[in-house]
Amino acid sequence: VFVAKPDTYDCSQESSNLPRLTRTVSIEQMVRTHVNFIIRNSITANDYTIAVGATFLILIGSGILVTVAALIFHRYGTIARNKYEDVIVSDYFEALSEEQISSLLRKLDLHVSELSRHPSRIKKRSYNYLYHTLSIAIFYSIPVVQLVFTYQRIVNRTGDEDMCYYNFLCAHPAFRFSDFNHIFSNIGYVIFGIIFICVVADRHRIIKLRKDKGIPVHYGIFHAMGVALIIEGLLSACYHICPSQSNYQFDTSFMYIMAVLCMVKLYQNRHPDINATAYTTFTVLGCAIFMAMIGILNGNLAIWIIFVVCYTLLCLFLSLKIYFLNYVVDGLNQFRSSVTKKGFTQHALKPIRKARFIILLIANIANYSMLICGLLLYSDNVTDFGTFLLALLMGNSVIHCVFYTCMKLISKEKICYEAILYGVLAIVCWGSSSVFFLDAATLWTVTPAESRQWNQECIVFKFFDKHDIWHLLSAPALYFTFMYLMSLDDDILDVEQRDLQVF
């Protein structure tokens, strides 16, 4: 469908300088525009079948391969060398007294046994993450599906494809969808999410809850990560039914959740009793998604300033909770009494746990640096608020993961070969997929008509473009990342918790 416009407004967002024509005005010189059309044959039904079938078979084959590898590792790998007994762990919650809290805050070296007094209770709390993720997935997905299907119906009825930012040089319609290939390429998230849940269930069958050895095993968060990966695939497919900046939040919301779950799980490994609850975590996530919505609707400088202030306060609050082991009020009271007795001397102001203080200082500097970079990129019209928030959360996940790995090595803990393998595969997949992600075929900062100048040809099977390859590679990247996190502490499964350092 070709639509002729009287001016260049839809292409340049600037109205024509020519006066509006009325029936009473006659024009002696008519403005003529010559347009050349190039009509190309679409791909055939056989091309559709080959592309879809080959991709599905490759994903299923890869899924079977990684599943078999995980099952072999569970039965003949690092965790198979340890002896497990079916022990019923029961505990009752007993809050720490003021003396115990004061003693805990004064300790220079902490061990996991001191922060893992209620493994059974924490295990039940970990499944709250799964229940929250499922609830959010249901209530979030239903209106999203309804909205994007409405957009697709409007496109089909009116023929106005400028509602959505398609890559028209590689957008193949099917099943009444204008861009089926970008929808189908998200199937990898669903497949690898299901595989990860199955692997977690198999691991749960082998490694039961134990109270005194190894890192406390709480599988609820891992199940939540698998569900989030599946829902990410479904919502990303919904976004690609009609891609636009306003719909981009559908694609990123569960990326936010996965990034936060990775950080929560890493912190929970060594701080099981004082880890954030699912209620707190998802409340903060809800606020972040709400802020992202405001930023998408009206991403002016005022919104960025409000976000920077709120994020700075959040970083400060979390730093205090981490340093004072969740007992912020008691820790501040202890610090105040120390200053009252000794004055503002070096001894009074000196942090008790220097390593923890320095690490938090570095993390805060990194976060403030990312905030400054985001503001600079926004001022240059390079990024939008939703993408910046996603980069901020993913950056923190990477920082936390690198920190945890380095601290294991500093604490003279080994990293098992399964974790090394998964880590290398994750880095390879992330690196290769990022190359395709950064080479965008559409641009939101201009109109859909102008965005077509950035459109790119298909590169695989005459069916998939670079963004499709990003989908197909980032799915195993997320899977290998989750597997790396799950197997990272397999080397200390038989080590007494009183010998495991907290970091």
Side-chain angles (χ1 to χ4, degrees), residues 301-371:
L301 185 59
I303 298 298
W304 281 80
I305 293 174
I306 293 173
F307 174 76
V308 168
V309 172
C310 294
Y311 190 77
T312 302
L313 294 175
L314 179 63
C315 287
L316 178 61
F317 178 69
L318 290 178
S319 298
L320 291 174
K321 285 183 73 70
I322 293 172
Y323 182 78
F324 291 120
L325 305 174
N326 216 38
Y327 301 104
V328 178
V329 176
D330 298 277
L332 291 176
N333 288 335
Q334 190 180 87
F335 174 74
R336 184 184 62 181
S337 62
S338 176
V339 172
T340 303
K341 292 178 181 178
K342 303 175 183 178
F344 287 95
T345 61
Q346 182 179 0
H347 183 70
L349 299 176
K350 184 179 179 181
I352 296 176
R353 289 176 287 274
K354 293 182 181 179
R356 203 175 188 85
F357 179 81
I358 293 173
I359 290 167
L360 286 171
L361 184 62
I362 294 173
N364 277 273
I365 292 173
N367 273 274
Y368 298 142
S369 300
M370 286 189 285
L371 283 176

Side-chain angles (χ1 to χ4, degrees), residues 59 185-194 226 229-234 236 251 255 258 470-472 474-476 478:
L59 288 173
S185 60
N186 288 282
I187 193 173
Y189 297 113
V190 179
I191 292 174
F192 281 99
I194 294 173
L229 183 54
I230 295 173
I231 302 303
E232 167 60 25
L234 298 177
S236 179
D251 192 10
M255 290 294 289
M258 285 188 285
W470 151 256
H471 288 162
L472 296 172
S474 61
L478 284 166

Side-chain angles (χ1 to χ4, degrees), residues 233-493:
L234 298 177
L235 290 180
S236 179
C238 289
Y239 160 74
H240 283 283
I241 291 176
C242 183
S244 65
Q245 185 175 6
S246 59
N247 293 345
Y248 184 55
Q249 190 175 351
F250 305 156
D251 192 10
T252 57
S253 293
F254 272 80
M255 290 294 289
Y256 299 159
I257 291 176
M258 285 188 285
V260 171
L261 287 177
C262 289
M263 290 185 282
V264 169
K265 182 55 193 165
L266 285 169
Y267 188 75
Q268 185 195 53
N269 286 347
R270 308 280 170 156
H271 310 79
D273 281 354
I274 60 174
N275 195 43
T277 64
Y279 303 99
T280 303
T281 302
F282 282 96
T283 299
V284 174
L285 266 172
C287 294
I289 293 175
F290 175 77
M291 186 67 72
M293 180 198 71
I294 299 297
I296 290 173
L297 294 177
N298 186 19
N300 54 30
L301 185 59
I303 298 298
W304 281 80
I305 293 174
I306 293 173
F307 174 76
V308 168
V309 172
C310 294
Y311 190 77
T312 302
L313 294 175
L314 179 63
C315 287
L316 178 61
F317 178 69
L318 290 178
S319 298
L320 291 174
K321 285 183 73 70
I322 293 172
Y323 182 78
F324 291 120
L325 305 174
N326 216 38
Y327 301 104
V328 178
V329 176
D330 298 277
L332 291 176
N333 288 335
Q334 190 180 87
F335 174 74
R336 184 184 62 181
S337 62
S338 176
V339 172
T340 303
K341 292 178 181 178
K342 303 175 183 178
F344 287 95
T345 61
Q346 182 179 0
H347 183 70
L349 299 176
K350 184 179 179 181
I352 296 176
R353 289 176 287 274
K354 293 182 181 179
R356 203 175 188 85
F357 179 81
I358 293 173
I359 290 167
L360 286 171
L361 184 62
I362 294 173
N364 277 273
I365 292 173
N367 273 274
Y368 298 142
S369 300
M370 286 189 285
L371 283 176
I372 294 172
C373 289
L375 286 171
L376 294 176
L377 291 174
Y378 172 75
S379 62
D380 292 337
N381 206 24
V382 175
T383 187
D384 59 278
F385 190 85
T387 303
F388 163 71
L389 183 58
L390 177 61
L392 190 64
L393 291 175
M394 294 188 70
N396 275 280
S397 297
V398 173
I399 291 172
H400 207 147
C401 188
V402 172
F403 157 73
Y404 192 92
T405 304
C406 292
M407 288 304 297
K408 275 183 67 70
L409 297 175
I410 293 173
S411 302
K412 297 181 180 180
E413 295 180 10
K414 297 180 180 179
I415 299 178
C416 61
Y417 66 87
E418 295 97 334
I420 294 174
L421 176 62
Y422 288 131
V424 171
L425 289 174
I427 292 172
V428 170
C429 289
W430 279 122
S432 55
S433 62
S434 298
V435 174
F436 296 101
F437 176 76
L438 295 174
D439 191 4
T442 56
L443 190 64
W444 291 336
T445 55
V446 297
T447 62
E450 283 184 292
S451 175
R452 299 189 186 204
Q453 300 178 44
W454 279 264
N455 287 177
Q456 300 173 1
E457 298 280 356
C458 301
I459 60 174
V460 177
F461 295 132
K462 297 186 293 185
F463 192 77
F464 297 118
D465 66 0
K466 292 181 179 180
H467 195 77
D468 290 313
I469 306 303
W470 151 256
H471 288 162
L472 296 172
L473 288 177
S474 61
L478 284 166
Y479 170 80
F480 290 132
T481 301
F482 294 167
M483 291 298 295
Y484 173 75
L485 297 179
M486 190 165 65
S487 59
L488 188 55
D489 285 315
D490 284 355
D491 61 298
I492 54 175
L493 286 174

